Amino acid sequence: MSKYSIKDLEKITGVKAHTIRIWERRYGIIQPERSKTNIRSYSDSDLRKLLNVSMLNSSGIKISHLAKLSTIDLEAKILELSRSNKSIGFHIEKLTLATVNFNEELFESILSRYILESGMESTIVEVLFPFFERIGVLWQVGSINPAQEHFISNLIRQKLFASIDSLSGKSVEGASKVLIYLKEGELHEVGILFYNYILRRNGFSTLYLGQNLPFKDLVSAVNDYNPDYIISSFISPINPEDINVYLLSMEKSFKNIELMVTGLQLKQEGIEVPDSMKLITSPQKFKKLLQLK
């Protein structure tokens, strides 16, 4: 069971620490444990309850009323609200709650409904990218473990693979060719799967090589496929010096190919992305670089 500080709860739920203290003292919403030095600590159940209360309070229900509800009643209210609330923030909060609780049915229903109403691209840009930022906060405070990360990643990957498969055979004759891959040791593929989907939807011919590709195999694939573009992503922790060496190897090996890179690790201090490479900082930047609609 994880333990959280009040600052952790503030980061995860968006509820200010001052407000959390008021809800504790005045309404007894949650009851933290205290150390011998009177430092608060909170449990997983405290986090789940605060997420529920925060969502319901944001929807207009008074905190004084919520304080009287049991956990079961709060969850029933959340379910009722989820049927009518269409705000993006609410969807992100619900996905976060579903992740913490390993609630596949809830996660699936939220994702499927938004895809049905807004399409895959809008769902990724408007909901999942901000959700990944929230998950990044959860990682920082230790409240998301590898099992939970695999849980959400696999559900999202399934949706993306299904969407990409539906575009099979839709590349335009003579279209630019794009090779998409992750380097050896890199396993986080949701982002590049999304870019693969965008490219396919716009008629590009793509070769998706997936995770954990050794550099020598990349060179071999490039020689066989002769792509116009290569796209890769750097998410897993890696030493900045190692990234710089890898980027220079790409630049040296693929001189006549447009190289595009993205990922959290490229934001590290000391990273030097070669001028010849295009840095993808957002889906909007990606589409602009390739002049996509």
Side-chain angles (χ1 to χ4, degrees), residues 196-252:
N196 188 20
Y197 168 77
I198 293 295
L199 290 165
R200 286 282 189 93
R201 196 171 65 81
N202 282 273
F204 281 71
S205 174
T206 67
L207 177 63
Y208 182 76
L209 298 180
Q211 311 162 319
N212 201 31
L213 185 71
F215 197 82
K216 63 180 180 61
D217 294 336
L218 170 64
V219 172
S220 177
V222 168
N223 289 336
D224 290 339
Y225 187 60
N226 193 28
D228 301 291
Y229 301 89
I230 296 175
I231 298 175
S232 193
S233 177
F234 302 82
I235 303 294
S236 298
I238 184 174
N239 185 292
E241 184 178 340
D242 292 338
I243 294 183
N244 289 336
V245 169
Y246 190 89
L247 295 178
L248 288 173
S249 295
M250 289 181 68
E251 182 184 43
K252 182 179 179 180

Side-chain angles (χ1 to χ4, degrees), residues 42-150:
Y42 300 84
S43 65
D44 289 325
S45 60
D46 291 329
L47 171 61
R48 287 191 288 268
K49 185 170 185 180
L50 192 59
L51 281 167
N52 280 332
V53 169
S54 172
M55 282 187 279
L56 292 169
N57 182 245
S58 297
S59 72
I61 303 176
K62 292 183 177 180
I63 193 67
S64 56
H65 175 68
L66 295 173
K68 299 173 184 176
L69 300 180
S70 67
T71 299
I72 293 175
D73 290 335
L74 286 171
E75 291 175 353
K77 284 279 188 185
I78 286 288
L79 185 60
E80 179 184 334
L81 185 62
S82 66
R83 296 191 181 105
S84 59
N85 194 313
K86 297 184 182 297
S87 75
I88 293 172
F90 182 80
H91 286 300
I92 294 169
E93 294 288 351
K94 286 295 292 175
L95 289 174
T96 303
L97 188 62
T99 300
V100 171
N101 290 335
F102 282 110
N103 191 331
E104 181 175 348
E105 183 178 356
L106 177 59
F107 198 100
E108 171 73 22
S109 67
I110 295 167
L111 206 54
S112 295
R113 185 181 307 165
Y114 207 93
I115 292 171
L116 184 64
E117 293 174 354
S118 304
M120 175 58 78
E121 183 175 344
S122 293
T123 299
I124 294 285
V125 173
E126 296 171 6
V127 176
L128 289 179
F129 272 45
F131 169 67
F132 291 146
E133 291 181 6
R134 173 69 63 85
I135 291 301
V137 172
L138 291 171
W139 262 112
Q140 290 172 20
V141 301
S143 61
I144 286 290
N145 59 43
Q148 287 165 317
E149 186 202 14
H150 289 304

